[in-house]
Amino acid sequence: MKLKRIAIIQSGHLPRGKIEPHQDGSHFLLQARNVDGRHLFYKKDDLVKFYPALSKKDWILTKGDIVVMARGAKNYAALIAHIPKPALAAACFFIVRVSDEKLLPEYLCWYMNQAPAVHYFQRLSGRGVHMPVVRRSVLENIDIPLPNRKIQEKIVALEALRREEVDLINSLAEKRKQLITASCLKLISGC
């Protein structure tokens, strides 16, 4: 099913000038530097506060929204789970808000990071001056497989387990490194 039939898509906040961070700003801003495109999470403690000149097109991010990186060599999607309010996404993102109750945002985010979607974006992304750009029409027309809700929930649960496994493996590798380093340093301390 085409994404535009099951979700609403909006561009991120386009400032009228330079964004001036302000400690007492009225809004937070989620920027590309706040999102880890490799691990698909965002750092909410690092968001800039500022006073935006809002337009009717600006969306305040809410739980379940998906931000899609529209510019650059890697077009990833990240799910908004917990974010300080009110927060806006920068113009480098599209915001995807699920409008069909049959679709889980977590499933949609997962699918948009899988090989079929990645290849679709790579194949159809327009070329900007310095980097590839995904046009809104390309995003709107991506085909999203829509299995029943039970299957979506299973996929989401499996993905959560996979990520947990990766975290555990990385933690184990770090502890192994520390142990080996400590053992080697102990060996040479008597020399």
Side-chain angles (χ1 to χ4, degrees):
M1 184 169 296
K2 300 285 185 209
L3 182 60
K4 65 184 173 186
R5 293 187 59 206
I6 52 179
I8 304 166
I9 301 164
Q10 178 65 37
S11 299
H13 173 71
L14 185 61
R16 294 192 177 118
K18 184 179 182 227
I19 292 174
E20 296 290 340
H22 196 281
Q23 187 176 353
D24 299 321
S26 61
H27 290 70
F28 293 92
L29 182 64
L30 180 70
Q31 301 175 79
R33 70 176 181 212
N34 302 118
V35 182
D36 181 333
R38 189 165 163 236
H39 298 102
L40 306 175
F41 70 88
Y42 55 92
K43 298 167 259 177
K44 63 184 180 208
D45 300 333
D46 210 15
L47 303 179
V48 168
K49 281 183 94 173
F50 73 123
Y51 288 107
L54 295 173
S55 75
K56 292 179 182 177
K57 294 182 179 180
D58 286 322
W59 277 5
I60 302 298
L61 293 173
T62 62
K63 182 178 179 178
D65 284 348
I66 299 165
V67 290
V68 178
M69 177 56 77
R71 298 181 187 144
K74 187 170 193 267
N75 305 107
Y76 54 83
L79 181 72
I80 300 299
H82 304 288
I83 196 157
K85 291 193 179 195
L88 300 166
C92 60
F93 295 109
F94 282 113
I95 305 160
V96 178
R97 191 168 285 168
V98 171
S99 60
D100 188 324
E101 64 206 25
K102 293 180 229 153
L103 179 63
L104 289 173
E106 298 85 354
Y107 165 78
L108 176 59
C109 185
W110 169 82
Y111 182 78
M112 291 179 73
N113 288 302
Q114 302 311 305
V118 170
H119 293 144
Y120 170 82
F121 291 134
Q122 287 173 345
R123 193 175 73 249
L124 297 175
S125 64
R127 298 288 167 194
V129 176
H130 298 290
M131 67 183 85
V133 176
V134 173
R135 293 181 312 277
R136 183 185 187 126
S137 61
V138 169
L139 180 60
E140 288 175 337
N141 287 301
I142 187 172
D143 283 315
I144 305 294
L146 194 55
N148 68 48
R149 198 165 175 100
K150 206 167 221 142
I151 291 173
Q152 291 180 52
E153 289 169 353
K154 285 180 182 180
I155 289 170
V156 168
L158 283 170
E159 175 62 11
L161 288 171
R162 185 199 66 78
R163 285 186 182 195
E164 186 178 335
E165 178 186 39
V166 167
D167 290 344
L168 289 170
I169 289 169
N170 289 340
S171 177
L172 179 63
E174 182 59 33
K175 291 197 182 305
R176 185 179 300 126
K177 176 185 167 193
Q178 291 171 359
L179 178 64
I180 291 170
T181 300
S183 297
C184 292
L185 290 172
K186 187 175 180 181
L187 282 173
I188 63 171
S189 68
C191 294

